[in-house]
Amino acid sequence: MPEICRFYGIIISLFWKDHNPPHIHFTYGDYKCSMSILDRIVDGQAPAKVIAKVNEWINQHEPELLELWGKAQRGEKLNKIEPLK
């Protein structure tokens, strides 16, 4: 599971050849969640402030994330995405 970004203690990753819909996985301490890229449905639990930060980051990088999702589906190398500042 390649790490594609890290900020404020949040680690964001994608799995190769993962199931649809396009989504990211993130951890924060002991919390583990996934969030769909297009409709922002969260699977798992994390503090609301963390979910809000991840959602803000997705808003800033949605086209890049969808491109990386395609690469991950093909098993290609994934580049990092700028963190939330």
Side-chain angles (χ1 to χ4, degrees), residues 24-57:
I24 53 99
H25 295 265
F26 65 95
T27 59
Y28 178 76
D30 291 333
Y31 297 100
K32 294 181 181 184
C33 295
S34 65
M35 183 183 291
S36 58
I37 296 169
L38 296 174
D39 58 14
R40 310 297 161 66
I41 294 172
V42 176
D43 183 20
Q45 294 183 2
K49 67 178 183 167
V50 171
I51 292 171
K53 294 278 187 204
V54 172
N55 192 43
E56 182 181 350
W57 179 79

mmCIF file of all heavy atoms in Angstrom, residues 24-57:
data_model
loop_
_atom_site.group_PDB
_atom_site.id
_atom_site.type_symbol
_atom_site.label_atom_id
_atom_site.label_comp_id
_atom_site.label_asym_id
_atom_site.label_seq_id
_atom_site.Cartn_x
_atom_site.Cartn_y
_atom_site.Cartn_z
ATOM 1 N N ILE A 24 -9.396 6.585 -1.108
ATOM 2 C CA ILE A 24 -8.093 6.596 -0.444
ATOM 3 C C ILE A 24 -8.273 5.943 0.926
ATOM 4 O O ILE A 24 -9.389 5.851 1.453
ATOM 5 C CB ILE A 24 -7.527 8.031 -0.300
ATOM 6 C CG1 ILE A 24 -8.514 9.011 0.369
ATOM 7 C CG2 ILE A 24 -7.154 8.594 -1.649
ATOM 8 C CD1 ILE A 24 -8.240 9.215 1.810
ATOM 9 N N HIS A 25 -7.155 5.496 1.486
ATOM 10 C CA HIS A 25 -7.128 4.973 2.856
ATOM 11 C C HIS A 25 -6.312 5.963 3.679
ATOM 12 O O HIS A 25 -5.321 6.503 3.186
ATOM 13 C CB HIS A 25 -6.466 3.597 2.889
ATOM 14 C CG HIS A 25 -7.239 2.566 2.150
ATOM 15 N ND1 HIS A 25 -8.143 1.731 2.762
ATOM 16 C CD2 HIS A 25 -7.270 2.249 0.838
ATOM 17 C CE1 HIS A 25 -8.691 0.942 1.856
ATOM 18 N NE2 HIS A 25 -8.174 1.231 0.676
ATOM 19 N N PHE A 26 -6.746 6.203 4.916
ATOM 20 C CA PHE A 26 -5.942 7.073 5.768
ATOM 21 C C PHE A 26 -5.930 6.564 7.192
ATOM 22 O O PHE A 26 -6.868 5.915 7.654
ATOM 23 C CB PHE A 26 -6.383 8.539 5.689
ATOM 24 C CG PHE A 26 -7.755 8.855 6.199
ATOM 25 C CD1 PHE A 26 -7.960 9.297 7.496
ATOM 26 C CD2 PHE A 26 -8.851 8.732 5.367
ATOM 27 C CE1 PHE A 26 -9.225 9.617 7.957
ATOM 28 C CE2 PHE A 26 -10.129 9.052 5.811
ATOM 29 C CZ PHE A 26 -10.309 9.489 7.115
ATOM 30 N N THR A 27 -4.815 6.835 7.856
ATOM 31 C CA THR A 27 -4.671 6.491 9.258
ATOM 32 C C THR A 27 -4.307 7.752 10.030
ATOM 33 O O THR A 27 -3.679 8.675 9.501
ATOM 34 C CB THR A 27 -3.584 5.422 9.491
ATOM 35 O OG1 THR A 27 -2.338 5.910 9.011
ATOM 36 C CG2 THR A 27 -3.931 4.117 8.791
ATOM 37 N N TYR A 28 -4.716 7.749 11.267
ATOM 38 C CA TYR A 28 -4.384 8.830 12.192
ATOM 39 C C TYR A 28 -4.291 8.178 13.563
ATOM 40 O O TYR A 28 -5.319 7.780 14.129
ATOM 41 C CB TYR A 28 -5.459 9.910 12.164
ATOM 42 C CG TYR A 28 -5.211 11.052 13.123
ATOM 43 C CD1 TYR A 28 -4.263 12.024 12.845
ATOM 44 C CD2 TYR A 28 -5.912 11.137 14.313
ATOM 45 C CE1 TYR A 28 -4.022 13.062 13.724
ATOM 46 C CE2 TYR A 28 -5.691 12.175 15.197
ATOM 47 C CZ TYR A 28 -4.742 13.137 14.911
ATOM 48 O OH TYR A 28 -4.497 14.173 15.784
ATOM 49 N N GLY A 29 -3.082 8.000 14.052
ATOM 50 C CA GLY A 29 -2.916 7.258 15.301
ATOM 51 C C GLY A 29 -3.456 5.848 15.124
ATOM 52 O O GLY A 29 -3.080 5.133 14.197
ATOM 53 N N ASP A 30 -4.381 5.442 15.990
ATOM 54 C CA ASP A 30 -4.983 4.109 15.907
ATOM 55 C C ASP A 30 -6.208 4.068 15.000
ATOM 56 O O ASP A 30 -6.800 3.006 14.814
ATOM 57 C CB ASP A 30 -5.381 3.624 17.307
ATOM 58 C CG ASP A 30 -4.167 3.335 18.183
ATOM 59 O OD1 ASP A 30 -3.096 3.006 17.630
ATOM 60 O OD2 ASP A 30 -4.288 3.436 19.419
ATOM 61 N N TYR A 31 -6.614 5.198 14.463
ATOM 62 C CA TYR A 31 -7.790 5.254 13.583
ATOM 63 C C TYR A 31 -7.411 4.849 12.166
ATOM 64 O O TYR A 31 -6.377 5.265 11.649
ATOM 65 C CB TYR A 31 -8.387 6.665 13.550
ATOM 66 C CG TYR A 31 -8.899 7.138 14.870
ATOM 67 C CD1 TYR A 31 -8.146 8.003 15.660
ATOM 68 C CD2 TYR A 31 -10.150 6.736 15.336
ATOM 69 C CE1 TYR A 31 -8.621 8.452 16.880
ATOM 70 C CE2 TYR A 31 -10.627 7.179 16.556
ATOM 71 C CZ TYR A 31 -9.861 8.029 17.328
ATOM 72 O OH TYR A 31 -10.331 8.469 18.537
ATOM 73 N N LYS A 32 -8.285 4.040 11.526
ATOM 74 C CA LYS A 32 -8.096 3.626 10.135
ATOM 75 C C LYS A 32 -9.409 3.823 9.402
ATOM 76 O O LYS A 32 -10.457 3.354 9.864
ATOM 77 C CB LYS A 32 -7.675 2.166 10.052
ATOM 78 C CG LYS A 32 -6.317 1.908 10.643
ATOM 79 C CD LYS A 32 -5.924 0.464 10.514
ATOM 80 C CE LYS A 32 -4.561 0.279 11.164
ATOM 81 N NZ LYS A 32 -4.056 -1.088 11.006
ATOM 82 N N CYS A 33 -9.361 4.529 8.279
ATOM 83 C CA CYS A 33 -10.566 4.834 7.509
ATOM 84 C C CYS A 33 -10.258 4.779 6.022
ATOM 85 O O CYS A 33 -9.103 4.798 5.610
ATOM 86 C CB CYS A 33 -11.064 6.252 7.804
ATOM 87 S SG CYS A 33 -11.614 6.557 9.457
ATOM 88 N N SER A 34 -11.323 4.775 5.255
ATOM 89 C CA SER A 34 -11.211 5.045 3.825
ATOM 90 C C SER A 34 -12.243 6.113 3.493
ATOM 91 O O SER A 34 -13.228 6.283 4.218
ATOM 92 C CB SER A 34 -11.421 3.779 2.991
ATOM 93 O OG SER A 34 -12.725 3.289 3.136
ATOM 94 N N MET A 35 -11.992 6.846 2.412
ATOM 95 C CA MET A 35 -12.927 7.875 1.976
ATOM 96 C C MET A 35 -12.985 7.843 0.460
ATOM 97 O O MET A 35 -11.934 7.859 -0.203
ATOM 98 C CB MET A 35 -12.503 9.266 2.454
ATOM 99 C CG MET A 35 -13.500 10.366 2.085
ATOM 100 S SD MET A 35 -12.989 12.043 2.558
ATOM 101 C CE MET A 35 -13.107 11.968 4.339
ATOM 102 N N SER A 36 -14.186 7.774 -0.088
ATOM 103 C CA SER A 36 -14.324 7.775 -1.540
ATOM 104 C C SER A 36 -13.953 9.161 -2.077
ATOM 105 O O SER A 36 -14.245 10.179 -1.454
ATOM 106 C CB SER A 36 -15.726 7.356 -1.967
ATOM 107 O OG SER A 36 -16.692 8.204 -1.408
ATOM 108 N N ILE A 37 -13.300 9.173 -3.214
ATOM 109 C CA ILE A 37 -12.791 10.420 -3.776
ATOM 110 C C ILE A 37 -13.915 11.282 -4.337
ATOM 111 O O ILE A 37 -13.913 12.499 -4.154
ATOM 112 C CB ILE A 37 -11.729 10.120 -4.865
ATOM 113 C CG1 ILE A 37 -10.524 9.422 -4.226
ATOM 114 C CG2 ILE A 37 -11.302 11.396 -5.586
ATOM 115 C CD1 ILE A 37 -9.534 8.841 -5.218
ATOM 116 N N LEU A 38 -14.877 10.677 -4.988
ATOM 117 C CA LEU A 38 -15.917 11.466 -5.665
ATOM 118 C C LEU A 38 -17.056 11.905 -4.757
ATOM 119 O O LEU A 38 -17.513 13.035 -4.855
ATOM 120 C CB LEU A 38 -16.461 10.681 -6.859
ATOM 121 C CG LEU A 38 -15.426 10.409 -7.954
ATOM 122 C CD1 LEU A 38 -16.011 9.503 -9.019
ATOM 123 C CD2 LEU A 38 -14.928 11.705 -8.549
ATOM 124 N N ASP A 39 -17.539 11.038 -3.880
ATOM 125 C CA ASP A 39 -18.692 11.440 -3.050
ATOM 126 C C ASP A 39 -18.365 11.551 -1.563
ATOM 127 O O ASP A 39 -19.234 11.838 -0.758
ATOM 128 C CB ASP A 39 -19.888 10.528 -3.283
ATOM 129 C CG ASP A 39 -19.585 9.071 -3.000
ATOM 130 O OD1 ASP A 39 -18.547 8.775 -2.370
ATOM 131 O OD2 ASP A 39 -20.390 8.219 -3.403
ATOM 132 N N ARG A 40 -17.123 11.310 -1.196
ATOM 133 C CA ARG A 40 -16.594 11.533 0.158
ATOM 134 C C ARG A 40 -17.265 10.688 1.236
ATOM 135 O O ARG A 40 -17.343 11.095 2.392
ATOM 136 C CB ARG A 40 -16.629 13.007 0.543
ATOM 137 C CG ARG A 40 -16.036 13.929 -0.490
ATOM 138 C CD ARG A 40 -14.552 13.648 -0.707
ATOM 139 N NE ARG A 40 -14.043 14.183 -1.952
ATOM 140 C CZ ARG A 40 -13.936 15.443 -2.273
ATOM 141 N NH1 ARG A 40 -14.312 16.355 -1.448
ATOM 142 N NH2 ARG A 40 -13.464 15.804 -3.446
ATOM 143 N N ILE A 41 -17.729 9.509 0.888
ATOM 144 C CA ILE A 41 -18.289 8.603 1.885
ATOM 145 C C ILE A 41 -17.133 8.021 2.697
ATOM 146 O O ILE A 41 -16.153 7.538 2.134
ATOM 147 C CB ILE A 41 -19.125 7.493 1.231
ATOM 148 C CG1 ILE A 41 -20.351 8.110 0.565
ATOM 149 C CG2 ILE A 41 -19.526 6.435 2.255
ATOM 150 C CD1 ILE A 41 -21.159 7.142 -0.267
ATOM 151 N N VAL A 42 -17.259 8.073 4.022
ATOM 152 C CA VAL A 42 -16.219 7.601 4.921
ATOM 153 C C VAL A 42 -16.590 6.220 5.439
ATOM 154 O O VAL A 42 -17.729 5.989 5.861
ATOM 155 C CB VAL A 42 -16.044 8.571 6.118
ATOM 156 C CG1 VAL A 42 -15.029 8.027 7.110
ATOM 157 C CG2 VAL A 42 -15.643 9.944 5.631
ATOM 158 N N ASP A 43 -15.632 5.314 5.405
ATOM 159 C CA ASP A 43 -15.794 3.992 5.995
ATOM 160 C C ASP A 43 -14.766 3.879 7.112
ATOM 161 O O ASP A 43 -13.562 3.946 6.850
ATOM 162 C CB ASP A 43 -15.571 2.908 4.937
ATOM 163 C CG ASP A 43 -15.794 1.509 5.487
ATOM 164 O OD1 ASP A 43 -16.462 1.371 6.538
ATOM 165 O OD2 ASP A 43 -15.298 0.549 4.873
ATOM 166 N N GLY A 44 -15.234 3.759 8.328
ATOM 167 C CA GLY A 44 -14.362 3.726 9.493
ATOM 168 C C GLY A 44 -14.639 4.921 10.388
ATOM 169 O O GLY A 44 -15.569 5.683 10.139
ATOM 170 N N GLN A 45 -13.837 5.044 11.436
ATOM 171 C CA GLN A 45 -14.029 6.139 12.383
ATOM 172 C C GLN A 45 -12.723 6.887 12.601
ATOM 173 O O GLN A 45 -11.659 6.286 12.673
ATOM 174 C CB GLN A 45 -14.525 5.602 13.716
ATOM 175 C CG GLN A 45 -15.907 4.996 13.639
ATOM 176 C CD GLN A 45 -16.391 4.552 15.003
ATOM 177 O OE1 GLN A 45 -15.720 4.716 16.011
ATOM 178 N NE2 GLN A 45 -17.583 3.990 15.035
ATOM 179 N N ALA A 46 -12.853 8.190 12.702
ATOM 180 C CA ALA A 46 -11.739 9.084 13.028
ATOM 181 C C ALA A 46 -12.359 10.369 13.578
ATOM 182 O O ALA A 46 -13.548 10.636 13.348
ATOM 183 C CB ALA A 46 -10.899 9.376 11.789
ATOM 184 N N PRO A 47 -11.593 11.162 14.295
ATOM 185 C CA PRO A 47 -12.120 12.438 14.782
ATOM 186 C C PRO A 47 -12.626 13.300 13.621
ATOM 187 O O PRO A 47 -12.049 13.290 12.524
ATOM 188 C CB PRO A 47 -10.914 13.082 15.462
ATOM 189 C CG PRO A 47 -10.041 11.933 15.854
ATOM 190 C CD PRO A 47 -10.211 10.926 14.757
ATOM 191 N N ALA A 48 -13.686 14.042 13.880
ATOM 192 C CA ALA A 48 -14.294 14.885 12.843
ATOM 193 C C ALA A 48 -13.287 15.856 12.241
ATOM 194 O O ALA A 48 -13.307 16.101 11.036
ATOM 195 C CB ALA A 48 -15.491 15.644 13.423
ATOM 196 N N LYS A 49 -12.386 16.396 13.053
ATOM 197 C CA LYS A 49 -11.394 17.350 12.533
ATOM 198 C C LYS A 49 -10.453 16.669 11.534
ATOM 199 O O LYS A 49 -10.014 17.294 10.574
ATOM 200 C CB LYS A 49 -10.603 17.998 13.664
ATOM 201 C CG LYS A 49 -9.703 17.042 14.417
ATOM 202 C CD LYS A 49 -8.888 17.706 15.501
ATOM 203 C CE LYS A 49 -7.978 16.653 16.131
ATOM 204 N NZ LYS A 49 -6.958 17.187 16.954
ATOM 205 N N VAL A 50 -10.145 15.407 11.747
ATOM 206 C CA VAL A 50 -9.275 14.668 10.832
ATOM 207 C C VAL A 50 -10.003 14.411 9.520
ATOM 208 O O VAL A 50 -9.462 14.626 8.431
ATOM 209 C CB VAL A 50 -8.798 13.343 11.475
ATOM 210 C CG1 VAL A 50 -8.084 12.462 10.458
ATOM 211 C CG2 VAL A 50 -7.910 13.638 12.672
ATOM 212 N N ILE A 51 -11.249 13.982 9.595
ATOM 213 C CA ILE A 51 -12.050 13.745 8.392
ATOM 214 C C ILE A 51 -12.188 15.042 7.606
ATOM 215 O O ILE A 51 -12.072 15.054 6.378
ATOM 216 C CB ILE A 51 -13.418 13.134 8.752
ATOM 217 C CG1 ILE A 51 -13.193 11.716 9.298
ATOM 218 C CG2 ILE A 51 -14.359 13.129 7.556
ATOM 219 C CD1 ILE A 51 -14.417 11.068 9.884
ATOM 220 N N ALA A 52 -12.392 16.157 8.296
ATOM 221 C CA ALA A 52 -12.510 17.451 7.618
ATOM 222 C C ALA A 52 -11.205 17.813 6.897
ATOM 223 O O ALA A 52 -11.228 18.323 5.778
ATOM 224 C CB ALA A 52 -12.883 18.540 8.623
ATOM 225 N N LYS A 53 -10.057 17.554 7.528
ATOM 226 C CA LYS A 53 -8.762 17.849 6.898
ATOM 227 C C LYS A 53 -8.554 16.980 5.652
ATOM 228 O O LYS A 53 -8.088 17.460 4.619
ATOM 229 C CB LYS A 53 -7.607 17.619 7.877
ATOM 230 C CG LYS A 53 -7.598 18.558 9.049
ATOM 231 C CD LYS A 53 -6.977 19.860 8.670
ATOM 232 C CE LYS A 53 -6.825 20.720 9.919
ATOM 233 N NZ LYS A 53 -6.777 22.128 9.603
ATOM 234 N N VAL A 54 -8.894 15.692 5.744
ATOM 235 C CA VAL A 54 -8.753 14.798 4.592
ATOM 236 C C VAL A 54 -9.678 15.253 3.470
ATOM 237 O O VAL A 54 -9.287 15.296 2.304
ATOM 238 C CB VAL A 54 -9.014 13.332 4.996
ATOM 239 C CG1 VAL A 54 -9.059 12.425 3.768
ATOM 240 C CG2 VAL A 54 -7.955 12.849 5.979
ATOM 241 N N ASN A 55 -10.896 15.614 3.812
ATOM 242 C CA ASN A 55 -11.848 16.102 2.811
ATOM 243 C C ASN A 55 -11.324 17.367 2.135
ATOM 244 O O ASN A 55 -11.406 17.510 0.909
ATOM 245 C CB ASN A 55 -13.209 16.350 3.464
ATOM 246 C CG ASN A 55 -14.296 16.567 2.458
ATOM 247 O OD1 ASN A 55 -14.381 15.864 1.454
ATOM 248 N ND2 ASN A 55 -15.147 17.541 2.715
ATOM 249 N N GLU A 56 -10.770 18.287 2.900
ATOM 250 C CA GLU A 56 -10.192 19.518 2.344
ATOM 251 C C GLU A 56 -9.042 19.185 1.394
ATOM 252 O O GLU A 56 -8.920 19.760 0.304
ATOM 253 C CB GLU A 56 -9.697 20.416 3.484
ATOM 254 C CG GLU A 56 -9.124 21.727 3.035
ATOM 255 C CD GLU A 56 -8.630 22.580 4.206
ATOM 256 O OE1 GLU A 56 -8.901 22.251 5.379
ATOM 257 O OE2 GLU A 56 -7.950 23.591 3.928
ATOM 258 N N TRP A 57 -8.200 18.229 1.800
ATOM 259 C CA TRP A 57 -7.077 17.823 0.962
ATOM 260 C C TRP A 57 -7.573 17.202 -0.352
ATOM 261 O O TRP A 57 -7.057 17.509 -1.421
ATOM 262 C CB TRP A 57 -6.198 16.840 1.741
ATOM 263 C CG TRP A 57 -5.031 16.320 0.983
ATOM 264 C CD1 TRP A 57 -3.850 16.961 0.751
ATOM 265 C CD2 TRP A 57 -4.934 15.052 0.355
ATOM 266 N NE1 TRP A 57 -3.008 16.158 0.015
ATOM 267 C CE2 TRP A 57 -3.660 14.968 -0.238
ATOM 268 C CE3 TRP A 57 -5.791 13.960 0.235
ATOM 269 C CZ2 TRP A 57 -3.230 13.856 -0.938
ATOM 270 C CZ3 TRP A 57 -5.361 12.854 -0.461
ATOM 271 C CH2 TRP A 57 -4.103 12.811 -1.044
#
